[in-house]
Amino acid sequence: MHGRINATTKSAAHDIIQVAMGWFDCHLHRFQIGPRRYGIPDPMDRAMGIDMMDERGVQLSDVITPAGQRATFIYEYDFSDGWQYAIKLEETHAAVPKTTYPRCTDGERACPPENVGGIGDYEDFLKAIADLDHERHEELTKWIGKYDPEMFFRADINQDLRKIF
C-alpha cells in the first residue's frame, strides 16, 4: 500500500498505520529510526539484548528530522511474520484550520490481511483466492470474505481514523 497520512507521536503513528493497513493491533510492533528502536518496552527486551526506547509520548518530529526535510524509517509489525515497512516522510505542512487530523489523503492497493502470514504466505494467498481451482480457494475466500488486492478505500480509512482519534 502507498498512502499519505498525518501523525504526531509514535504511538499515534502505530495506531494510524494499523487503521490504514486494516489490521487489529494483534501483534508486537516497533519503529527503527536510525540505530534506535522504539516500541512498548517489555522486561524481556533487555534480557534478550534488545534496547527498546519507549515510544509513548515521543514526538516523531523529535526523532526523525527537522521540519520540512525528507526521512525514511522502518515500521515492523508481527515479528514472527516479518512485516517491515519503509515509512517515508516526504514533506510537512502546517495544520489547516477546521481540518480533522489524522487523515489519509492518498493511497493505492489493499494491504495484506491480518494473520495472512509473511510475504511468501501473502503471495500464496493471492494466488489461491484468484484461482477457483486452487485447493485452498474456498477455505481462504471464506476466511477473508470480500477482498480485492487492487482496491483502496480512503473514505473507509478516514472514517475509522475518526472513530479512534
Side-chain angles (χ1 to χ4, degrees), residues 28-93:
L28 296 173
H29 74 280
R30 69 177 160 228
F31 294 91
Q32 177 84 35
I33 302 172
R36 292 198 167 150
R37 292 179 179 161
Y38 296 85
I40 307 299
D42 183 283
M44 293 300 295
D45 290 342
R46 290 254 187 239
M48 296 173 62
I50 299 171
D51 186 20
M52 182 78 67
M53 309 271 301
D54 193 333
E55 72 181 26
R56 294 169 287 199
V58 176
Q59 297 292 313
L60 286 171
S61 60
D62 291 341
V63 295
I64 55 174
T65 187
Q69 293 184 9
R70 293 174 181 232
T72 300
F73 58 94
I74 304 298
Y75 173 76
E76 296 179 70
Y77 180 68
D78 190 353
F79 304 149
S80 64
D81 287 346
W83 290 107
Q84 293 186 349
Y85 293 88
I87 307 292
K88 293 182 181 180
L89 171 66
E90 295 180 345
E91 57 190 356
T92 60
H93 299 277

Side-chain angles (χ1 to χ4, degrees), residues 96-152:
V96 176
K98 298 182 181 179
T99 300
T100 302
Y101 293 101
R103 67 187 180 111
C104 178
T105 60
D106 193 14
E108 55 190 60
R109 301 198 77 216
C111 296
E114 181 92 54
N115 295 321
V116 76
I119 293 171
D121 297 316
Y122 179 55
E123 290 171 353
D124 292 344
F125 165 81
L126 291 176
K127 289 176 190 170
I129 65 169
D131 180 358
L132 295 173
D133 295 324
H134 191 282
E135 64 185 35
R136 295 193 65 206
H137 176 82
E138 186 177 339
E139 167 200 352
L140 292 174
T141 53
K142 191 175 190 176
W143 170 68
I144 196 63
K146 190 174 181 181
Y147 179 81
D148 182 345
E150 297 303 318
M151 297 303 295
F152 177 77

